């Protein structure tokens, strides 16, 4: 049965999906410690936030998360089209981030909700029993996309 | 000498840099066959052109290159900040694409040159003696970036 073939998810794929979910949970909770746990702490890690230039190394990436969390009073992700690929000790997840977020006014008083659509590629490397994020690349999808 | 330490590039890194260069050479030449040679022809490959939603599978990706090549009379890349990381049979290259391209008018007569800045992540998997691209994600870097 075709359905049966889909039941037995590979253990690695389960683990990769779990850490990918942890990334978005940390983002929604704006929890820096949880976000820190997701990432490999090394010089080779890279993040490209939508519309930003790429930032390399955990120190700069950590700073970007602190800035984003400080300036994001609310953010919610609905993830669609999630696909996982694994080769050896490397896994990558591609998905669509459908985002609802508060865009604070200058005085923080009049937050408004805005939607955004981001195409993301998340890259993970196996670290013993877990997987660590080594790259997150999110890009804005235009209205014509 | 510090210079000596940089001479002995790892053989894998040389090969990855070569295929990454082949990707941009094929793009500049708008040579579909050369671009096809760079990619793994599978369902798991994914491309995210700047501002586009992600496209999955070689068939859709091939179609996107044909459309881009048909509508790009001229494109030139100056690549900066290229960094290579390799884990086992997977390699990723992050870099900045500084682009000069012709934006054709509707009648194709009055092309004008325009610049663009794109942050890119290119992902490759080893295939015997060569490496094949499995993901290209390029995102526009905004003027405030």
């Amino acid at each position: 049965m075709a359905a049966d073939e889909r039941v037995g998810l590979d253990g690695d794929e389960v683990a990769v999906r779990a850490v990918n979910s942890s990334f978005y949970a940390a983002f929604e909770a704006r929890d820096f410690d949880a976000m820190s746990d997701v990432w490999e702490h090394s010089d080779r890690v890279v993040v490209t936030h939508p519309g930003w230039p790429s930032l390399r190394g955990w120190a700069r990436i950590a700073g970007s998360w602190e800035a984003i969390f400080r300036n994001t009073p609310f953010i919610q992700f609905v993830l669609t089209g999630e696909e996982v690929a694994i080769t050896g000790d490397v896994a990558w997840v591609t998905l669509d981030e459908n985002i609802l977020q508060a865009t604070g006014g200058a005085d923080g008083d009049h937050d408004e909700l805005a939607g955004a659509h981001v195409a993301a590629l998340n890259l993970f490397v196996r670290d013993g029993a877990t997987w660590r994020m080594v790259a997150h690349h999110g890009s804005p999808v235009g209205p014509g996309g």
Side-chain angles (χ1 to χ4, degrees), chain A:
Chain A
M1 279 171 61
D4 284 332
E5 292 168 12
R6 302 179 64 98
V7 170
L9 269 186
D10 178 85
D12 282 342
E13 183 174 337
V14 171
V16 169
R17 287 183 185 271
V19 68
N20 191 66
S21 294
S22 297
F23 169 77
Y24 288 102
F27 202 156
E28 284 189 338
R30 293 162 295 135
D31 180 336
F32 179 79
D33 290 339
M35 181 59 81
S36 176
D37 282 346
V38 169
W39 284 80
E40 179 181 289
H41 292 195
S42 71
D43 290 339
R44 70 175 178 175
V45 294
V46 58
V47 74
T48 310
H49 299 296
W52 292 36
S54 298
L55 304 177
R56 290 204 185 85
W58 171 242
R60 292 192 74 195
I61 292 172
S64 78
W65 288 120
E66 288 177 324
I68 288 170
F69 292 167
R70 202 164 47 236
N71 291 289
T72 307
F74 172 83
I75 189 164
Q76 190 175 54
F77 292 89
V78 175
L79 306 176
T80 53
E82 188 177 313
E83 293 284 343
V84 178
I86 303 175
T87 291
D89 291 335
V90 182
W92 57 102
V93 181
T94 52
L95 49 77
D96 302 306
E97 302 174 355
N98 305 278
I99 300 172
L100 190 65
Q101 66 190 122
T103 54
D107 58 4
D109 270 351
H110 47 291
D111 292 348
E112 292 183 15
L113 288 177
H117 182 194
V118 168
L121 189 159
N122 298 326
L123 189 63
F124 302 91
V125 170
R126 192 196 309 267
D127 176 22
T130 186
W131 294 77
R132 303 282 179 199
M133 181 171 267
V134 292
H136 166 68
H137 192 145
S139 62
V141 177

